Amino acid sequence: MTHTQIDTLTSWLDEARSAVFFGGAGVSTASGIPDFRSAAGLYASQGRGGRSPEYMLSHECLMNEPAEFFTFHRQNLVHPDAQPNRAHTGLAELERQARMTAVVTQNIDGLHQKAGSQVVHELHGSVQRYYCLGRGHHQFTLEQIPDSPVVPICPDCGAMIRPDVVLYGEMLDDDVVDAAVTAVRQADVLLVGGTSLNVYPAAGLLHYYRGDRLALVNLTETPMDYQADLVIHSPIDEVIGQVCDRLFV
Ligand code: CNA
């Protein structure tokens, strides 16, 4: 990243009143949570017993092989000790300073809320929340889900409990998508970071932005780089950290 790039992003966020951040797994790699598509990401592993990671993260796997599903889920998606990094804390500070109105995330780790962000639209849900498949849809937190039995069972109705995440083969929640689209439409600055922009419909959110301050920060190139007004190929935690150091001295 260059000084000019950081200066530009700093001045955009300094003037912003309704900035929105849209991010993905790259936001949490500095917190020790692997992403999906990097060399060190989850997709580089082979899944379990010859099964692909996509299958292990699918509705089909949850329904047909729940024990395999939950073993994979606990080993790869639940990171109870992970702490927010400078990206999460910087974005929370931008919201407190009334420069940023919302975080839209594809992440399921809950680290934006842990850092203090209040308005977080979780397109793919959260591993912090669970509900049972019984008629009552009884709800649980991660802490309430015991390690044993492997497949958690609702103490109220005996139905299987599942994570409140959007699995492959499932639809996104309409209300969450609507809220995210509205936030992006009204944004004066759209900062996109730590996402390969390969997963639709989430990646299509960029098309709703109407302004001319679209900043894209990712370690590697993305299919949307050509649309951005500013492209920085650097760690998002370092970029947001440097910008916040300048804004909040
Ligand atoms: P992805 O497809 O794995 O892409 C991540 C992108 O981030 C890659 O292009 C990397 O180059 C880039 N990257 C990695 N580290 C950094 C960094 N420090 N700074 C900047 N860029 C970085 O992940 P997407 O979010 O694009 O795909 C969406 C999936 C990933 C969603 O369904 C998520 O639920 C899922 N996911 C979430 C988490 C999490 O909650 N932390 C972890 C792994 C996967």
Side-chain angles (χ1 to χ4, degrees):
M1 77 192 96
T2 65
H3 287 300
T4 313
Q5 289 172 325
I6 296 297
D7 286 346
T8 302
L9 187 55
T10 303
S11 71
W12 287 1
L13 289 170
D14 195 20
E15 293 165 16
R17 293 296 170 266
S18 58
V20 168
F21 178 77
F22 172 47
V27 174
S28 295
T29 51
S31 297
I33 302 179
D35 63 12
F36 277 177
R37 292 178 181 80
S38 292
L42 203 53
Y43 283 10
S45 67
Q46 295 302 308
R48 286 171 61 85
R51 301 168 177 88
S52 69
E54 285 93 338
Y55 173 73
M56 299 310 300
L57 298 162
S58 70
H59 181 85
E60 193 187 350
C61 180
L62 172 69
M63 290 304 164
N64 295 340
E65 300 184 86
E68 288 292 331
F69 174 91
F70 273 101
T71 302
F72 187 88
H73 177 83
R74 286 194 178 88
Q75 284 176 355
N76 296 291
L77 299 182
V78 179
H79 300 272
D81 299 330
Q83 294 302 322
N85 62 55
R86 293 178 87 197
H88 301 101
T89 55
L91 293 168
E93 187 58 29
L94 285 164
E95 183 190 60
R96 272 194 292 275
Q97 304 257 343
R99 293 186 166 95
M100 182 160 280
T101 52
V103 167
V104 180
T105 184
Q106 299 164 88
N107 289 351
I108 55 176
D109 55 33
L111 287 184
H112 287 294
Q113 290 91 334
K114 207 168 185 177
S117 285
Q118 302 285 324
V119 182
V120 183
H121 305 302
E122 295 172 310
L123 294 172
H124 296 158
S126 174
V127 297
Q128 304 293 329
R129 298 188 300 271
Y130 294 76
Y131 62 91
C132 84
L133 297 179
R135 289 179 63 187
H137 287 303
H138 301 109
Q139 298 185 7
F140 307 90
T141 63
L142 174 62
E143 292 72 31
Q144 291 171 315
I145 304 295
D147 285 340
S148 172
V150 175
V151 180
I153 299 299
C154 179
D156 296 321
C157 69
M160 182 169 80
I161 294 173
R162 61 159 290 173
D164 188 4
V165 299
V166 180
L167 302 172
Y168 283 104
E170 296 181 339
M171 305 282 287
L172 271 59
D173 183 299
D174 283 343
D175 291 341
V176 178
V177 173
D178 286 351
V181 166
T182 301
V184 169
R185 271 209 179 107
Q186 295 172 350
D188 49 14
V189 175
L190 179 60
L191 173 56
V192 180
T195 170
S196 63
L197 294 172
N198 270 318
V199 178
Y200 276 81
L205 260 189
L206 268 65
H207 299 306
Y208 293 97
Y209 177 60
R210 296 165 169 172
D212 59 1
R213 293 183 168 189
L214 168 55
L216 218 163
V217 183
N218 204 57
L219 277 183
T220 50
E221 278 182 34
T222 80
M224 303 289 192
D225 281 10
Y226 75 98
Q227 281 207 358
D229 304 294
L230 176 66
V231 177
I232 306 177
H233 289 150
S234 300
I236 184 72
D237 41 292
E238 290 179 20
V239 170
I240 292 179
Q242 288 202 21
V243 166
C244 289
D245 284 349
R246 293 180 190 205
L247 280 176
F248 310 132
V249 277

